[in-house]
Amino acid sequence: MSHRRERAARLVGLAWLSVVVLSLAGCTGEGALPDASVMAAQGAGGDADLSLVDELPVPTSKNADQNSLVTVGDLIEVNVYGMEKLSRTVQVDSLGNISLPLVNNVRAANQSLSGLERAVTAAYSRYLQSPSVTLSLKDSPARRVTVDGQVVKPGNYPINERSTLSEAIADAGGVNNIGDQAKVFVYRMVDGKRYVANYNLAEIRANARPAPRLYGRDTIIVFSSSSRVAWQNVKDALGVAQGVAGTSVGLIR
């Protein structure tokens, strides 16, 4: 009887060991859940700094209004009709101003483009008779997204009101040879709260899931096939991407 009990105990122990090994294996075996699903199944649904969601929320009208305003880093083309020496492309500096001939600094940040145009016209009216001034936005950080991680060309890319995740990945040269199409994470800030969602490019291309529309300042990170996507990795990756935005370093592994 004692031998049978010992043998039964060993069998139970082996069964538990098998469960532990399979759990540690994560998604390395066939038929295993993908890393992102394991992460969600383990209850990593977010924290005070970042929320994991199935679909990213759409920016509210408040966010949309903010994105329509001039912001630091914007490139603005200023054209003063008939005055070529005054016409030029200027960038909004770190203090939120643009510097122009004759009038020096004009406050630009947090104004609409039409409002800034009126302000520049008023400034030149002190020196010119009935100046005709037109402004156009050449480039803006608020109308770009950051693509980092395992893509061919990490960096910042311009978007429009119809841009999707698939198009942004294509602009970055596509997923590279060690990237995983199932480990594409998109980060977004809405009303002061940051969210992240996991997308599978293969599902999107197969029309099994719609390609999400992108909004200005979204961040896209592609993880490698060999990486295990734990919640802390998802949070840390965003910090690295924000630190190297605009450079092609591809630090996210």
Side-chain angles (χ1 to χ4, degrees):
M1 291 291 291
S2 62
H3 291 297
R4 284 198 294 270
R5 285 197 296 270
E6 290 176 3
R7 186 169 181 271
R10 283 199 298 270
L11 289 174
V12 171
L14 287 172
W16 275 108
L17 179 60
S18 298
V19 172
V20 172
V21 169
L22 287 174
S23 298
L24 292 176
C27 60
T28 57
E30 289 188 8
L33 290 171
D35 279 343
S37 296
V38 171
M39 180 186 69
Q42 290 172 338
D47 53 35
D49 301 318
L50 184 65
S51 294
L52 175 66
V53 294
D54 291 331
E55 294 291 344
L56 292 169
V58 175
T60 62
S61 57
K62 176 182 176 182
N63 292 104
D65 290 342
Q66 287 296 316
N67 283 343
S68 69
L69 300 179
V70 175
T71 188
V72 171
D74 282 0
L75 282 177
I76 299 172
E77 184 175 15
V78 180
N79 181 44
V80 184
Y81 181 74
M83 304 290 291
E84 289 187 8
K85 291 184 178 180
L86 300 182
S87 300
R88 61 196 58 211
T89 298
V90 294
Q91 186 171 35
V92 182
D93 64 25
S94 60
L95 298 177
N97 301 319
I98 56 173
S99 181
L100 296 169
L102 288 181
V103 297
N104 297 319
N105 290 333
V106 177
R107 184 65 182 173
N110 297 320
Q111 291 201 65
S112 65
L113 197 62
S114 58
L116 178 57
E117 185 174 276
R118 290 192 294 272
V120 173
T121 301
Y124 274 124
S125 294
R126 296 196 296 268
Y127 303 93
L128 305 173
Q129 185 175 2
S130 302
S132 177
V133 178
T134 56
L135 270 60
S136 60
L137 184 68
K138 303 295 290 183
D139 193 15
S140 173
R143 293 160 182 82
R144 285 178 170 265
V145 296
T146 297
V147 186
D148 203 355
Q150 301 309 326
V151 291
V152 176
K153 298 180 294 183
N156 290 334
Y157 293 91
I159 62 168
N160 56 43
E161 63 276 6
R162 296 178 301 278
S163 295
T164 66
L165 173 61
S166 300
E167 292 167 343
I169 295 291
D171 288 343
V175 176
N176 65 23
N177 58 0
I178 65 171
D180 192 331
Q181 295 190 53
K183 297 176 183 175
V184 179
F185 288 81
V186 182
Y187 302 75
R188 176 175 301 159
M189 180 79 79
V190 177
D191 292 336
K193 176 68 177 177
R194 193 173 295 280
Y195 301 86
V196 61
N198 175 218
Y199 294 93
N200 186 322
L201 291 178
E203 291 180 354
I204 291 173
R205 293 190 178 108
N207 294 320
R209 184 177 187 179
R213 177 186 164 184
L214 297 179
Y215 294 85
R217 295 193 175 96
D218 281 356
T219 297
I220 303 158
I221 297 175
V222 181
F223 285 80
S224 69
S225 298
S226 61
S227 65
R228 179 173 176 78
V229 184
W231 182 241
Q232 193 59 45
N233 300 132
V234 173
K235 292 182 65 178
D236 292 346
L238 176 62
V240 175
Q242 290 176 328
V244 299
T247 63
S248 297
V249 294
L251 292 178
I252 310 302
R253 295 288 183 262

